[in-house]
Amino acid sequence: MHNRIEKKFKELKDNNQKALITFLTAGDPDIDTSYDVVEQMINNGIDILEIGIPFSDPLAEGPTIEKASYRALASHTTTDDVFSLVKRIRENYDLPIILMLYVNLIYKYGIENFMKKCSEVGVDGLIVPDLPFEEVEEVKELAHDVNLLIINLVAPTTKSVRLKKIINKSEGFIYCVSSLGVTGERKNITTNLSDFYDRLRTETDLPLALGFGLSNKEQIDRLKGNWDGYIVGSAIVNIIALYGKEAPTHVGNFIKSLKD
Amino acid sequence: MHNRIEKKFKELKDNNQKALITFLTAGDPDIDTSYDVVEQMINNGIDILEIGIPFSDPLAEGPTIEKASYRALASHTTTDDVFSLVKRIRENYDLPIILMLYVNLIYKYGIENFMKKCSEVGVDGLIVPDLPFEEVEEVKELAHDVNLLIINLVAPTTKSVRLKKIINKSEGFIYCVSSLGVTGERKNITTNLSDFYDRLRTETDLPLALGFGLSNKEQIDRLKGNWDGYIVGSAIVNIIALYGKEAPTHVGNFIKSLKD
Amino acid sequence: MDKRFGEFGGQYVPETLMEALIEIEEAFNKYSRDSIFVKELAELFDTVANRPSKLYYASEMTKDLGGAKIYLKREDLNHTGSHKINNVLGQMLLAKKMGKKKIICETGAGQHGVATATIAALFKMECHVFMGKEDVERQALNVFRMELLGAKVTSVDSGTGTLKDAVNEAFRQWTREIEDTYYLMGSVVGPHPYPIMVREFQKIIGEEVRAQIEKIEGRLPDAIVACVGGGSNAIGIFHDFVDDKKIRLIGIEAAGDGIDTEFHAATISKGSTGIFHGMKSKFLQDEYGKIMPVYSMSAGLDYPGIGPEHAYLSSIGRAEYYPVNDREAVEAFEYLSKMEGIIPAIESAHAIYYTMKLAREMGKDKIIVVNLSGRGDKDVYQVARYKGVDLDAQ
Amino acid sequence: MDKRFGEFGGQYVPETLMEALIEIEEAFNKYSRDSIFVKELAELFDTVANRPSKLYYASEMTKDLGGAKIYLKREDLNHTGSHKINNVLGQMLLAKKMGKKKIICETGAGQHGVATATIAALFKMECHVFMGKEDVERQALNVFRMELLGAKVTSVDSGTGTLKDAVNEAFRQWTREIEDTYYLMGSVVGPHPYPIMVREFQKIIGEEVRAQIEKIEGRLPDAIVACVGGGSNAIGIFHDFVDDKKIRLIGIEAAGDGIDTEFHAATISKGSTGIFHGMKSKFLQDEYGKIMPVYSMSAGLDYPGIGPEHAYLSSIGRAEYYPVNDREAVEAFEYLSKMEGIIPAIESAHAIYYTMKLAREMGKDKIIVVNLSGRGDKDVYQVARYKGVDLDAQ
Ligand SMILES: Cc1ncc(COP(=O)(O)O)c(C=O)c1O
Ligand SMILES: Cc1ncc(COP(=O)(O)O)c(C=O)c1O
């Protein structure tokens, strides 16, 4: 023990605080801007950083993050560029860093190689949207060798039998999908979230972070009561899409508005 | 006896002459012009006049006469208009007049009615391209009642057995198709015409008139030796197509050139 | 062989064509009784045409209409997509036996042209197809199919640029090369022996229906419905049942914009007896016998005449003929697509529409068989255009 | 049920889809052993799909090439014009048993979309088809066919606007309405249980071939050839023969402009192992695992992956895979049209081309069976354009 993610959640809990986890796609619109965005996020008080590696076919994403992926690929961002970005961040900051990426990027890099590299640059965890619980073992073993956590997702559709199994094998925190569909901002979240929370909480003491569709402070405030953390992605990516290289300060302001 | 057609061929034979039979489509471009064309033809020495009644679907014709048909229909020429034309010609001239028409025009007019009308206005014979020997009886009987001849056609493809039958039942003259295909001028007539003539001549003493594709004096002169008459159609229709209402004198000149 | 059906039929063609017709008649007489020919044709029906075609119980349509049980005879599943292939196989085999090397034909919707080009390719015959200019436009898909199959397609712009003009032009061309060319007529029209010959090659449809419905239902149907252009798919399904007097035989003509307008092709409903395209039959013509321009959105029904045997069956009251207009045909086209997942040829859709009406009027204990003469892929562009959808913009 | 073929296969999808896949797997396990389901499906194969499809001896092609005897398995004569209908009937019946009311699917050439829209119409299911923008353009005929059949067609312009992007988008849509919607996958690709399930519904092709060739030739063929997009028609005809080790099983991939260019879709020839679209298999990807844009003029083969069972059969040497490029496919498209009067789907034309080469190399005593997976009506416009003919101007 202990991984930075686990430590962060413990620390927040001890202070009766919620984790603010924010996402950006690395290389959107270029790697240097991504670094600046990250600094703004950190300086404005985020707790955990989630960095997406761009992929040609991000099929779990809605149009917002999908387009970010295409922009990042257009600026020729590779997995190695993302490792360099993480390395640069890690040289200056100690917050937990999670990579979000599609399984093929790990597989093609060579799973073991990939994990080694993560460990070298200071990655703390991985979120792999197309690697469900049933297929995770092969990757997880090699991740653990280098003290890297694999964050499981659960969805409102996940049934009890599997939910138990998933939760039993979860680590760090559980990424709870707020509603059906792909990533993206949502006006209304129709899932009954307090039922969802209760179902989960009866099964585990692990931190529960809510993601998919969170876009502003009011929404987050409304949900804050229960969850241990909330993940904001598309709302940030939208700002980056709008302002491009000028995005860092705008993202900083947005994060500040969430924290106020 | 005798029908004008028969008399004309006898008269020509007695004088060792060939019959010049000329064709036009009535009503092309209008009935008055047709009358003037006919007068020019007669004044320049044709022996027999063949008048086509326009039809919507002249499937035995090449493009020249087909288009003449469409032009005549465009000026609303009906079968009754053609009868009036014949009547007007007959008031002034005594040469044999033959109508060329498709069988449906006869049938729809009422066969008996049609024949009566022919007789009234002074028609001497009918050429019905889509009424072959096998189907002619019904029409022929009613034609004979009013001393009207039905002119049979024979083609290079007509085989001996049928040729004999057709010739045995022929009257007036035999319309000998010079070569395969539809009406229209031809540069070359590939049928061996002297063989064709011989085949016919051994079977009958009836006048043999050659048609389809004759377009100028040299061509006719070359063929003259044997045949008792020649039919010139598309070459005249072409002049009418070219000069429209001004066609009569041009047709007259053309006929003169054939006679010289 | 009798050249006529009552007063209808005959052989009204230019002398240049007569010997060829006689030759065909003789060959047909000989080979249609020749056991090798019969066997070869049966084999071609099986291996090439994809026969027998299924008799399909249209359960959804039957349920939706709430009346008679409806069966569809699936000629649309034949190779090349319509009943036309049956006749083409018969005549092409005959032409081959006769030693012919060149085939010409007319086509309306293009289905006959495609079938002819297809079998000409297989039989290694030269193939020349005549198609009205307007039909070339509305059936562009079929034009390229024919060309792909190696056929020469001539667009005919004389007259009205539709099927009748294609026939005229094909006849003209035939007279030019009569000696080595076989004219492969696409329907039960034209001079004898075509109406009989084409019927004989199409009657397999009705023969199969008899066996199939006997097997499925244990009895014969109460009514048989088919669209009528020249009338080959209708005669094909009717023929075997003509002597079963209790079975209603119903032919559906194209009423275009409506039979009370000038724009239709409803020959039996609005035509009169005449002589055209080699046959005495019913035609749409004016008082002087001029053939009238006709109209139907369906290229295969857009013809001013009808086969002489239909004129005869109508005259003796054995078969009934009713008009169905463009709008109704499009409705049935969409109805069958959505109801059974079968896109019918727009020609066949005319028969479907009438069946929709008829089924509602008949009891649930009654059975209707409809000839689904062809598939509608060739028509989707045109129906889209009819409905105001611009496909090119998609 | 084993989720893998050797190392290939698996179930790599977002959590949101997992329960749906499990539900489908359980239903498939249950119903594929249920005698009523089996009987109903057999009946649908007969009455709706027009099965069995004929095994056609291509005598002219055989004669012309001078080598092995060639037989064509005529999946092109199925209702809707390709093998896709077999799988659609199987899955749609399953979806119905599962109580689903909505169907979504992807389509490349549009044949799977048309088949799905067709059976959705018949089964009264709501149907939503995703199709790449580029495919919408090159297969416009099929788009309107689907719409006619009542389906909603969504043109996907993300990514490369072809089949893989249609799959992405269909997956995305599925996650949004996972609870009442069945995703009807069109080939032996995607997460378990699709590759097995689609194979089970397509294996009828090979089973029929076995019975047919035994009957005609008294023996099994020496080689079986099929084109491979996702691989369903190939698996369908291979499966029954996998244990007959002497029979060569040959899959043909689309080489587009050539496998030495960047523009092809030859997954086995040029790809490497990866994980995408829910499965571990072979993919065209860059060194980092980014999926590469692929190209083939054939929309149905224009896919950067291949079914996991093919990856497996290739890895153990049981099946062979070769590339055929656009030019060669067009040559075969025209060859078969002119030689046998059969216009093949441009997908199938890839298999025909390889067969032309193979037949010449094999003795006259050998037999090749080719899967003619679909008909080419949908492709004539595109081939015309490829050859520089402007059809709109005609
Ligand atoms: C599918 C289809 N049905 C019907 C017809 C009409 O012809 P017939 O009346 O000879 O069956 C055609 C003609 O092209 C056709 O293509
Ligand atoms: C006619 C045809 N053949 C083949 C294919 C390729 O698919 P598969 O490899 O799954 O058979 C398609 C796909 O659309 C198709 O339409």
Side-chain angles (χ1 to χ4, degrees):
Chain A
M1 234 250 179
H2 268 326
N3 178 293
R4 285 192 195 86
I5 298 168
E6 291 167 327
K7 273 192 275 186
K8 172 63 78 178
F9 272 106
K10 175 149 194 334
E11 180 189 313
L12 287 168
K13 187 164 190 184
D14 290 348
N15 294 319
N16 209 13
Q17 284 182 322
K18 316 286 180 186
L20 173 58
I21 306 169
T22 58
F23 173 87
L24 84 168
T25 300
D28 168 28
D30 54 57
I31 280 285
D32 287 338
T33 306
S34 291
Y35 182 82
D36 294 342
V37 168
V38 166
E39 286 212 314
Q40 284 283 347
M41 287 171 164
I42 296 172
N43 294 339
N44 282 289
I46 66 164
D47 301 299
I48 299 176
L49 177 63
E50 182 185 349
I51 300 178
I53 306 187
F55 185 52
S56 51
D57 296 81
L59 59 78
E61 318 299 343
T64 301
I65 298 182
E66 183 193 353
K67 281 184 200 132
S69 229
Y70 296 153
R71 286 192 300 269
L73 289 175
S75 72
H76 305 290
T77 309
T78 67
T79 304
D80 284 323
D81 294 331
V82 182
F83 285 135
S84 307
L85 173 68
V86 174
K87 190 162 175 233
R88 196 173 153 203
I89 299 167
R90 185 55 78 220
E91 280 162 6
N92 301 307
Y93 302 99
D94 195 49
L95 89 172
I97 298 178
I98 298 172
L99 293 184
M100 193 288 288
L101 80 171
Y102 286 78
V103 63
N104 198 45
L105 299 179
I106 302 175
Y107 186 84
K108 186 68 185 176
Y109 205 93
I111 305 176
E112 204 171 340
N113 255 348
F114 186 90
M115 299 309 164
K116 228 178 71 199
K117 197 77 202 206
C118 282
S119 151
E120 273 171 37
V121 299
V123 174
D124 304 294
L126 301 178
I127 294 176
V128 191
D130 58 347
L131 193 65
F133 174 71
E134 281 76 359
E135 301 286 0
V136 83
E137 273 318 310
E138 183 183 10
V139 171
K140 203 166 187 175
E141 268 176 36
L142 295 165
H144 284 181
D145 288 351
V146 294
N147 193 25
L148 213 63
L149 303 183
I150 306 284
I151 307 303
N152 287 331
L153 285 83
V154 298
T157 41
T158 310
K159 292 193 185 143
S160 316
V161 185
R162 281 185 69 253
L163 192 66
K164 279 204 179 94
K165 283 195 222 166
I166 295 171
I167 285 176
N168 280 338
K169 294 259 189 168
S170 288
E171 53 194 21
F173 68 100
I174 296 174
Y175 190 129
C176 307
V177 175
S178 70
S179 67
L180 293 183
V182 289
T183 55
E185 297 175 81
R186 283 171 176 71
K187 285 224 179 58
N188 300 302
I189 289 174
T190 53
T191 311
N192 184 328
L193 287 178
S194 65
D195 281 6
F196 187 35
Y197 178 84
D198 293 343
R199 265 182 74 206
L200 295 166
R201 187 47 82 214
T202 56
E203 301 288 344
T204 183
D205 292 327
L206 272 182
L208 301 171
L210 188 67
F212 277 40
L214 278 48
S215 56
N216 58 49
K217 177 138 175 67
E218 296 83 73
Q219 214 179 22
I220 293 167
D221 279 348
R222 235 184 304 124
L223 308 170
K224 237 176 186 171
N226 297 318
W227 307 87
D228 305 300
Y230 39 94
I231 302 155
V232 179
S234 299
I236 291 165
V237 173
N238 267 330
I239 296 171
I240 297 172
L242 200 59
Y243 297 102
K245 289 183 198 294
E246 312 302 323
T249 52
H250 293 278
V251 171
N253 292 338
F254 174 69
I255 300 294
K256 200 186 300 168
S257 78
L258 294 180
K259 295 292 286 188
D260 280 346
Chain B
M1 229 243 179
H2 264 337
N3 176 293
R4 285 189 194 88
I5 299 168
E6 291 169 326
K7 272 192 278 188
K8 172 63 76 177
F9 271 106
K10 175 149 194 335
E11 184 190 309
L12 288 166
K13 184 163 193 185
D14 291 347
N15 292 319
N16 210 11
Q17 285 184 321
K18 315 288 181 187
L20 172 57
I21 306 169
T22 58
F23 173 88
L24 84 168
T25 300
D28 169 28
D30 55 56
I31 279 284
D32 287 338
T33 305
S34 290
Y35 182 82
D36 294 343
V37 168
V38 166
E39 283 212 317
Q40 283 283 347
M41 287 172 163
I42 296 173
N43 293 339
N44 283 288
I46 65 161
D47 300 299
I48 298 175
L49 176 63
E50 184 185 348
I51 300 178
I53 306 187
F55 184 53
S56 51
D57 295 81
L59 60 78
E61 319 299 343
T64 303
I65 298 182
E66 184 193 353
K67 281 185 199 134
S69 230
Y70 296 153
R71 287 193 299 269
L73 289 174
S75 71
H76 304 290
T77 309
T78 68
T79 304
D80 284 323
D81 295 332
V82 181
F83 284 136
S84 306
L85 173 68
V86 173
K87 190 164 174 229
R88 194 172 155 204
I89 299 167
R90 186 54 81 218
E91 279 162 9
N92 300 306
Y93 302 100
D94 196 48
L95 89 170
I97 300 178
I98 297 170
L99 293 183
M100 193 288 287
L101 80 172
Y102 285 77
V103 62
N104 199 43
L105 299 179
I106 302 176
Y107 185 84
K108 186 69 183 175
Y109 205 93
I111 305 177
E112 205 173 339
N113 255 349
F114 187 90
M115 297 308 165
K116 229 177 72 196
K117 197 75 202 211
C118 282
S119 152
E120 273 171 36
V121 300
V123 174
D124 303 295
L126 301 178
I127 294 175
V128 191
D130 58 347
L131 194 65
F133 175 71
E134 279 76 1
E135 300 286 358
V136 83
E137 274 317 308
E138 183 183 12
V139 170
K140 201 167 189 176
E141 267 176 35
L142 294 165
H144 283 181
D145 289 350
V146 295
N147 194 27
L148 213 64
L149 303 183
I150 307 284
I151 307 303
N152 286 330
L153 284 85
V154 298
T157 41
T158 311
K159 292 193 185 143
S160 313
V161 184
R162 282 184 70 253
L163 191 67
K164 277 203 178 94
K165 282 196 224 166
I166 294 172
I167 285 176
N168 279 338
K169 293 260 189 169
S170 287
E171 53 193 20
F173 67 98
I174 296 174
Y175 190 130
C176 308
V177 174
S178 71
S179 66
L180 293 183
V182 289
T183 55
E185 297 176 80
R186 283 169 174 74
K187 286 224 178 60
N188 300 304
I189 290 175
T190 52
T191 311
N192 183 330
L193 287 177
S194 66
D195 281 5
F196 188 33
Y197 179 84
D198 293 344
R199 266 180 75 208
L200 295 166
R201 189 45 85 214
T202 54
E203 300 289 345
T204 183
D205 291 330
L206 271 182
L208 300 171
L210 189 67
F212 277 42
L214 278 51
S215 57
N216 59 47
K217 179 139 173 63
E218 298 84 73
Q219 212 181 21
I220 293 168
D221 281 347
R222 236 184 302 125
L223 308 170
K224 235 176 189 172
N226 296 318
W227 307 87
D228 305 300
Y230 40 95
I231 302 156
V232 180
S234 299
I236 291 165
V237 173
N238 267 330
I239 296 172
I240 297 172
L242 201 59
Y243 296 104
K245 288 183 198 294
E246 313 301 322
T249 53
H250 293 280
V251 173
N253 291 338
F254 175 67
I255 302 293
K256 202 186 299 170
S257 80
L258 295 180
K259 296 292 286 188
D260 280 347
Chain C
M1 212 185 321
D2 195 350
K3 293 184 185 181
R4 290 182 185 264
F5 310 89
E7 67 167 312
F8 302 102
Q11 219 162 15
Y12 301 87
V13 296
E15 173 57 26
T16 340
L17 300 181
M18 275 306 299
E19 297 285 354
L21 290 180
I22 292 167
E23 188 193 350
I24 292 172
E25 181 178 356
E26 285 170 0
F28 176 66
N29 274 340
K30 176 176 159 195
Y31 287 109
S32 61
R33 291 186 198 110
D34 177 279
S35 65
I36 297 175
F37 182 93
V38 170
K39 196 166 147 273
E40 283 177 8
L41 184 57
E43 223 170 276
L44 290 169
F45 276 173
D46 168 1
T47 58
V48 176
N50 201 32
R51 304 209 70 84
S53 69
K54 299 240 151 109
L55 186 67
Y56 172 89
Y57 173 47
S59 59
E60 296 302 310
M61 205 177 152
T62 299
K63 211 187 309 166
D64 182 64
L65 298 168
K69 268 181 129 167
I70 299 166
Y71 284 87
L72 307 177
K73 180 62 174 166
R74 299 293 302 273
E75 294 295 304
D76 62 318
L77 293 174
N78 293 344
H79 183 42
T80 72
S82 84
H83 70 292
K84 298 281 183 191
I85 191 91
N86 305 324
N87 165 48
V88 170
L89 282 170
Q91 289 195 57
M92 195 79 76
L93 187 61
L94 188 69
K96 193 176 156 193
K97 299 277 180 192
M98 290 169 72
K100 301 289 178 186
K101 300 268 179 281
K102 285 158 71 181
I103 301 291
I104 61 176
C105 73
E106 85 295 341
T107 196
Q111 292 302 98
H112 176 57
V114 167
T116 304
T118 294
I119 308 306
L122 182 60
F123 280 38
K124 305 289 166 275
M125 300 265 210
E126 216 176 281
C127 180
H128 190 171
V129 182
F130 291 85
M131 189 167 184
K133 185 168 178 290
E134 203 175 295
D135 295 338
V136 165
E137 279 158 22
R138 55 185 166 175
Q139 304 284 344
L141 172 61
N142 276 343
V143 174
F144 193 64
R145 284 169 81 194
M146 291 183 263
E147 288 174 347
L148 243 181
L149 292 158
K152 177 175 161 193
V153 180
T154 294
S155 171
V156 176
D157 65 359
S158 65
T160 56
T162 61
L163 181 52
K164 91 172 161 60
D165 309 286
V167 174
N168 293 346
E169 208 54 46
F171 268 128
R172 288 182 185 120
Q173 182 60 25
W174 197 21
T175 62
R176 292 184 192 108
E177 49 183 23
I178 192 84
E179 277 161 336
D180 58 350
T181 302
Y182 182 94
Y183 185 150
L184 207 158
M185 182 72 75
S187 190
V188 287
V189 296
H192 175 78
Y194 287 109
I196 287 181
M197 188 162 64
V198 176
R199 179 194 73 201
E200 291 302 299
F201 293 140
Q202 290 290 6
K203 71 180 183 192
I204 180 88
I205 303 174
E207 290 170 354
E208 287 176 5
V209 166
R210 179 182 294 272
Q212 290 166 324
I213 197 82
E214 284 277 20
K215 191 166 163 214
I216 304 171
E217 292 280 352
R219 70 171 185 93
L220 297 182
D222 300 286
I224 297 175
V225 185
C227 67
V228 181
S232 67
N233 87 85
I235 281 288
I237 196 167
F238 290 174
H239 185 66
D240 205 56
F241 299 98
V242 168
D243 291 336
D244 299 291
K245 298 272 157 62
K246 281 198 199 129
I247 301 178
R248 287 178 66 187
L249 304 177
I250 301 172
I252 304 302
E253 304 191 302
D257 286 349
I259 57 169
D260 299 326
T261 71
E262 282 172 57
F263 305 99
H264 64 78
T267 313
I268 295 267
S269 305
K270 306 287 280 188
S272 58
T273 303
I275 299 171
F276 182 53
H277 280 169
M279 58 183 168
K280 185 179 285 183
S281 189
K282 295 283 178 184
F283 296 96
L284 291 165
Q285 51 184 330
D286 73 2
E287 53 186 323
Y288 286 104
K290 195 175 79 179
I291 301 302
M292 303 285 279
V294 289
Y295 166 76
S296 163
M297 77 176 290
S298 152
L301 305 181
D302 202 357
Y303 182 70
I306 189 170
E309 191 165 4
H310 286 290
Y312 173 69
L313 291 174
S314 168
S315 73
I316 62 166
R318 177 63 193 94
E320 309 155 55
Y321 298 83
Y322 303 105
V324 160
N325 66 33
D326 279 4
R327 188 182 40 71
E328 294 164 338
V330 168
E331 185 186 325
F333 184 87
E334 296 187 292
Y335 179 82
L336 193 67
S337 300
K338 298 213 166 65
M339 200 51 69
E340 299 285 345
I342 297 172
I343 305 177
I346 190 68
E347 288 78 16
S348 322
H350 286 74
I352 297 293
Y353 183 83
Y354 190 82
T355 303
M356 288 160 63
K357 271 181 34 179
L358 185 64
R360 284 198 199 94
E361 292 160 9
M362 285 169 76
K364 281 183 201 277
D365 57 330
K366 297 288 191 266
I367 297 170
I368 306 175
V369 175
V370 197
N371 201 0
L372 194 66
S373 56
R375 58 172 146 91
D377 302 8
K378 67 184 180 55
D379 301 307
V380 294
Y381 272 91
Q382 209 205 345
V383 170
R385 235 181 294 146
Y386 181 89
K387 304 209 50 168
V389 178
D390 184 0
L391 281 177
D392 296 329
Q394 286 198 321
Chain D
M1 208 183 325
D2 195 350
K3 294 185 184 182
R4 293 183 182 262
F5 310 90
E7 68 167 313
F8 302 103
Q11 219 162 14
Y12 302 86
V13 297
E15 173 58 27
T16 339
L17 300 180
M18 274 306 299
E19 297 284 353
L21 289 179
I22 292 168
E23 187 192 352
I24 292 172
E25 180 178 356
E26 284 169 359
F28 176 66
N29 274 341
K30 174 175 163 197
Y31 287 110
S32 61
R33 291 186 197 110
D34 176 280
S35 65
I36 296 175
F37 182 94
V38 170
K39 196 168 146 270
E40 281 177 10
L41 184 58
E43 223 170 276
L44 289 169
F45 276 173
D46 168 2
T47 58
V48 176
N50 201 31
R51 303 209 71 83
S53 69
K54 300 236 151 115
L55 187 67
Y56 172 89
Y57 174 47
S59 59
E60 296 301 311
M61 207 177 149
T62 300
K63 210 187 312 166
D64 182 64
L65 298 168
K69 266 181 131 168
I70 299 166
Y71 284 86
L72 308 177
K73 179 62 173 167
R74 298 295 302 274
E75 294 295 303
D76 62 319
L77 293 175
N78 293 345
H79 183 41
T80 72
S82 83
H83 70 291
K84 297 282 182 190
I85 190 90
N86 306 323
N87 166 48
V88 170
L89 281 170
Q91 288 195 59
M92 193 79 75
L93 187 60
L94 188 69
K96 194 177 153 192
K97 299 277 180 195
M98 291 170 72
K100 302 288 179 186
K101 300 270 180 278
K102 284 159 71 181
I103 300 292
I104 62 176
C105 73
E106 84 296 342
T107 195
Q111 292 303 99
H112 175 57
V114 167
T116 304
T118 294
I119 307 307
L122 181 60
F123 279 37
K124 305 289 168 274
M125 300 265 211
E126 217 176 281
C127 180
H128 190 172
V129 183
F130 291 84
M131 189 167 183
K133 186 167 178 287
E134 203 177 295
D135 295 338
V136 164
E137 277 158 25
R138 54 186 168 173
Q139 304 283 347
L141 173 60
N142 275 343
V143 175
F144 194 64
R145 284 169 81 196
M146 290 182 264
E147 288 175 346
L148 241 181
L149 292 158
K152 176 173 162 194
V153 181
T154 293
S155 172
V156 176
D157 65 359
S158 65
T160 56
T162 62
L163 181 51
K164 93 171 159 59
D165 309 286
V167 173
N168 293 347
E169 208 52 47
F171 269 128
R172 288 183 184 120
Q173 180 59 27
W174 197 22
T175 62
R176 291 185 192 107
E177 49 184 22
I178 192 86
E179 278 161 336
D180 59 350
T181 301
Y182 182 94
Y183 185 150
L184 207 158
M185 181 73 75
S187 191
V188 288
V189 296
H192 176 77
Y194 288 110
I196 287 181
M197 188 162 65
V198 176
R199 180 194 73 201
E200 290 301 299
F201 294 140
Q202 289 290 6
K203 72 180 183 191
I204 179 87
I205 304 174
E207 290 171 351
E208 286 176 5
V209 166
R210 178 182 292 273
Q212 290 166 325
I213 198 81
E214 284 277 20
K215 191 165 163 213
I216 304 171
E217 293 281 350
R219 72 173 185 89
L220 297 183
D222 300 286
I224 297 176
V225 185
C227 68
V228 181
S232 67
N233 88 86
I235 282 287
I237 196 166
F238 290 174
H239 185 66
D240 205 56
F241 300 98
V242 167
D243 292 336
D244 299 291
K245 298 272 159 60
K246 281 199 196 127
I247 301 177
R248 287 178 65 186
L249 304 178
I250 302 171
I252 304 303
E253 304 191 301
D257 286 349
I259 55 169
D260 299 326
T261 71
E262 282 173 57
F263 305 99
H264 63 78
T267 313
I268 296 267
S269 306
K270 305 288 279 189
S272 58
T273 302
I275 299 171
F276 183 52
H277 279 168
M279 58 183 168
K280 186 178 285 184
S281 189
K282 294 283 179 184
F283 297 97
L284 292 165
Q285 52 185 328
D286 73 3
E287 55 186 320
Y288 285 104
K290 194 176 78 179
I291 302 302
M292 302 285 277
V294 291
Y295 167 77
S296 163
M297 75 177 291
S298 153
L301 304 182
D302 202 356
Y303 183 70
I306 189 168
E309 191 165 3
H310 286 291
Y312 173 69
L313 291 174
S314 167
S315 73
I316 62 167
R318 177 63 193 97
E320 310 155 53
Y321 298 82
Y322 304 105
V324 160
N325 66 31
D326 279 4
R327 190 182 40 72
E328 294 164 337
V330 168
E331 184 186 325
F333 184 85
E334 296 188 292
Y335 178 83
L336 193 67
S337 299
K338 297 214 166 62
M339 198 52 70
E340 298 285 344
I342 297 172
I343 305 176
I346 190 69
E347 288 79 15
S348 322
H350 286 73
I352 297 293
Y353 183 83
Y354 189 82
T355 303
M356 287 161 62
K357 271 181 33 181
L358 184 65
R360 284 198 199 95
E361 292 161 9
M362 286 170 76
K364 280 183 201 283
D365 57 329
K366 297 288 191 267
I367 297 171
I368 306 174
V369 175
V370 196
N371 201 1
L372 194 65
S373 56
R375 59 173 144 91
D377 302 10
K378 66 183 179 59
D379 301 308
V380 295
Y381 272 89
Q382 209 206 346
V383 170
R385 234 180 295 145
Y386 181 89
K387 304 209 49 169
V389 177
D390 184 359
L391 280 176
D392 296 328
Q394 284 199 324

